[in-house]
Amino acid sequence: QVQLVESGGGRVQAGGSLRLSCAASGRTFGSYDMGWFRQAPGKEREFVAHIRRSGGGTYYADSVKGRFTISRDNAKNTVYLQMNSLKPEDTAVYYCAADQDASYRGYYYYTAKSTYDYWGQGTQVTVSS
């Protein structure tokens, strides 16, 4: 079992930056792959980024590639999402998630919500134009 707590959300103007953090409980954080998803009002929750347990592999949705960076610090049990050049369409609640089956399975598997076993409560990001 792992508990996830996101932080770092807020309101920012278009073109600005935010860094989200997700702190995990437990001593097995380094054995999980981690992902970030987001959900805008009236829309489905969608994949944003994924990072392998070692930090050696990262994957992104096309809509954020080149603007967002996922990273992790296994010593601090934390995964990050650095968001630059933010756009109003990035406005959403952002969730981190843990995948306890950390074997390599490929991009499309990582984009599926059903891949992940544990979810945080989310943090709101609002980008104004």
Side-chain angles (χ1 to χ4, degrees):
Q1 188 82 10
V2 62
Q3 293 185 325
L4 305 172
V5 179
E6 302 95 336
S7 62
R11 179 180 295 271
V12 64
Q13 287 193 325
S17 298
L18 282 174
R19 188 175 83 154
L20 305 184
S21 299
C22 173
S25 64
R27 291 179 287 181
T28 58
F29 176 75
S31 65
Y32 292 91
D33 279 17
M34 298 296 295
W36 284 97
F37 283 71
R38 67 186 182 186
Q39 188 166 17
K43 294 189 175 182
E44 293 285 320
R45 192 172 299 190
E46 65 175 7
F47 170 76
V48 174
H50 179 99
I51 188 166
R52 299 297 311 282
R53 57 184 172 175
S54 65
T58 56
Y59 307 84
Y60 297 93
D62 287 344
S63 58
V64 307
K65 200 173 294 183
R67 300 188 298 123
F68 291 10
T69 302
I70 188 171
S71 62
R72 67 190 295 163
D73 185 338
N74 287 347
K76 294 183 178 180
N77 282 14
T78 302
V79 62
Y80 304 98
L81 186 68
Q82 177 67 44
M83 306 185 295
N84 298 329
S85 303
L86 282 161
K87 305 175 181 180
E89 51 263 44
D90 295 318
T91 295
V93 178
Y94 283 71
Y95 299 88
C96 70
D99 171 15
Q100 63 184 4
D101 182 353
S103 59
Y104 175 75
R105 287 162 296 173
Y107 177 82
Y108 290 103
Y109 197 92
Y110 297 145
T111 65
K113 295 186 294 292
S114 58
T115 293
Y116 300 86
D117 305 287
Y118 305 104
W119 292 83
Q121 83 290 347
T123 186
Q124 176 70 48
V125 171
T126 303
V127 184
S128 57
S129 57

